[in-house]
């Protein structure tokens, strides 16, 4: 009989409660189309979006997260996707500078929130969509491009944070932000671990991912298509789409605890759990 040991024991995984910024989808709807998921002819239910979002927020609170909220602004239906609001590391915030005009007012709105929270704000000169395309891990920042974020902003972020930025080219329109195609699971230097959809990346970028993360979880098309990779991990718990059941099994095999959430209403806008969540890695007065 052959016994296959899980590649990692659960005891190797360590949960660290996070501080996150969220935006209630009070004004959520789909009245323009800037990604393949959005269909302005398909009705949305804002009340259902709010209920699903509140469940996500309570899930985070149950994990001990400190959840901050930014006030939603009428006329900005995508503002719920807080991950796009910027990139925050320690006490420095690099603002978003959105590709599409429909979302451009969100950049100053999130930037003003960062300033009011006491962060040092660097206003982006180049187009970027915050944590949608910038994912810190270990000592580097993984950075998507191809649909939204301009590579000039990769250089700008490298200067602002003094970190190496690793460009990754996205090639599938339905996985238009890096956080739809790749999830950071363990960010600790020396323990870096990710999950991703191989087909979402150019051949050169896939080779780079395989070189940097040889033990990564490669997910199925089916799990990526329900936005399983649009996930938030505290080091142990992985908050991800309820429907990504194959990914849940892979996560368990690697010692993580998947927590499925239903955000199908927000998926009509092309977003999931991670899209609704901006990580605040440090805010003044709070160490973690
Ligand atoms: N409708 C939004 C857009 O296309 C969805 C953003 C999703 N956010 C994310 N971090 N992937 O911009």
């Amino acid at each position: 009989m052959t016994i296959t040991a899980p590649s990692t024991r659960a005891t190797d995984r360590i949960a660290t409660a996070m501080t996150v910024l969220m935006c209630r989808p009070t004004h959520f709807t789909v009245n323009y189309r800037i990604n393949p998921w959005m269909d302005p002819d398909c009705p949305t239910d804002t009340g259902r979006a709010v209920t699903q979002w509140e469940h996500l927020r309570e899930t985070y609170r149950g994990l001990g997260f400190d959840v901050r909220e930014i006030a939603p602004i009428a006329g900005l239906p995508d503002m719920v996707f807080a991950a796009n609001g910027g990139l925050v590391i320690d006490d420095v915030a690099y603002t978003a500078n959105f590709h599409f005009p429909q979302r451009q007012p969100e950049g100053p709105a999130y930037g003003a929130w960062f300033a009011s929270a006491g962060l040092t704000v660097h206003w982006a000169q180049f187009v970027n969509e915050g944590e949608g395309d910038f994912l810190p891990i270990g000592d580097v920042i993984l950075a998507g491009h191809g649909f939204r974020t301009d590579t000039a902003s990769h250089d700008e972020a490298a200067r602002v944070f003094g970190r190496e930025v690793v460009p990754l080219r996205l090639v599938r329109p339905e996985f238009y932000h890096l956080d739809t195609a790749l999830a950071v699971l363990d960010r600790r230097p020396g323990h870096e671990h990710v999950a991703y959809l191989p087909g979402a990346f150019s051949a050169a970028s896939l080779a780079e991912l395989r070189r940097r993360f040889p033990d990564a979880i490669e997910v199925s098309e089916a799990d990526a298509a329900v936005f399983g990779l649009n996930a938030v991990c505290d080091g142990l718990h992985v908050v991800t789409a309820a429907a990504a059941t194959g990914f849940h099994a892979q996560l368990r095999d690697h010692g993580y605890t998947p927590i499925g959430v239903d955000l199908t209403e927000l998926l009509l806008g092309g977003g999931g759990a991670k899209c609704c969540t901006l990580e605040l890695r440090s805010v003044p007065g709070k160490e973690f």
Side-chain angles (χ1 to χ4, degrees), residues 34-35 38 78 81 84 103 132 148 176-177 179-180 269-270 275:
I34 57 172
N35 70 55
M38 301 174 83
D78 275 335
F81 300 119
N84 301 132
R103 296 197 67 184
R148 302 289 182 88
Y176 56 94
H177 276 141
D179 72 357
T180 67
C275 297

Side-chain angles (χ1 to χ4, degrees), residues 70-266:
I70 180 173
I73 297 174
L76 298 178
D78 275 335
M79 196 170 167
V80 59
F81 300 119
N84 301 132
L87 172 63
V88 179
I89 301 177
D90 300 330
D91 58 354
V92 174
Y94 174 58
T95 64
N97 183 347
F98 284 85
H99 177 77
F100 288 109
Q102 292 95 331
R103 296 197 67 184
Q104 278 164 4
E106 294 182 45
Y110 277 94
W113 190 92
F114 299 145
S116 73
L119 299 166
T120 300
V121 181
H122 289 264
W123 293 90
Q125 301 301 305
F126 298 101
V127 169
N128 82 88
E129 299 199 348
E131 276 200 343
D133 278 321
F134 286 119
L135 296 176
I137 180 168
D139 298 325
V140 308
I141 302 171
L142 305 180
H145 66 103
F147 295 101
R148 302 289 182 88
T149 292
D150 193 316
T151 51
S153 82
H154 294 185
D155 299 334
E156 192 173 36
R159 283 194 300 277
V160 167
F161 294 107
R163 293 198 185 199
E164 181 188 358
V165 171
V166 180
L168 296 169
R169 189 156 77 82
L170 298 161
V171 296
R172 295 262 301 273
E174 65 274 43
F175 303 108
Y176 56 94
H177 276 141
L178 182 62
D179 72 357
T180 67
L182 184 145
V184 171
L185 299 172
D186 197 330
R187 70 202 58 211
R188 293 174 298 161
H191 299 263
E192 293 91 340
H193 195 217
V194 300
Y196 61 83
L197 176 69
F201 295 91
S202 70
S205 294
L206 181 57
E208 179 68 16
L209 285 172
R210 289 195 165 132
R211 191 183 68 74
R212 284 185 181 263
F213 308 108
D215 64 342
I217 298 176
E218 298 195 0
V219 308
S220 69
E221 288 281 338
D223 288 327
V226 292
F227 265 39
L229 286 166
N230 198 244
V232 173
C233 181
D234 66 2
L236 170 62
H237 308 96
V238 184
V239 180
T240 178
T245 51
F247 183 39
H248 295 188
Q250 289 175 299
L251 287 167
R252 278 192 210 95
D253 187 45
H254 284 81
Y256 298 100
T257 304
I259 300 176
V261 288
D262 176 9
L263 292 168
T264 43
E265 193 64 29
L266 291 161

